[in-house]
Amino acid sequence: MGSAQLVESLHWAAEAGVNFCGVSSGRGIWGDGAATYGKRGVAAFEEWLEEEAVKRIDAANAALANAGSWYSFYGADDPQALLD
């Protein structure tokens, strides 16, 4: 799954009222960076990280604005409440 598809699926989940706490997004965020590193080297990869990766993370974070906390899934107001 690419970055655009990842962000789009997060928006769909939020619109559908899915109770989610986060995502596993490694390949969607970083996948194209590996190809950049392999084809163009370290300097190009660092540039890709500073520009494209930051855009992708910002887009994913914006899509996660509707996500809940992991502890609210268990009915707690904070993580410490689960230990008591």
Side-chain angles (χ1 to χ4, degrees), residues 11-68:
H11 285 296
W12 287 345
E15 287 176 15
V18 174
N19 183 12
F20 63 99
C21 300
V23 296
S24 177
S25 59
R27 185 170 283 169
I29 300 291
W30 309 110
D32 295 335
T36 299
Y37 173 76
K39 292 177 184 175
R40 297 176 39 220
V42 174
F45 179 59
E46 289 175 346
E47 181 179 328
W48 185 91
L49 288 172
E50 291 173 0
E51 295 176 9
E52 186 61 30
V54 169
K55 290 177 193 173
R56 292 177 178 201
I57 290 172
D58 288 345
N61 284 340
L64 287 168
N66 294 312

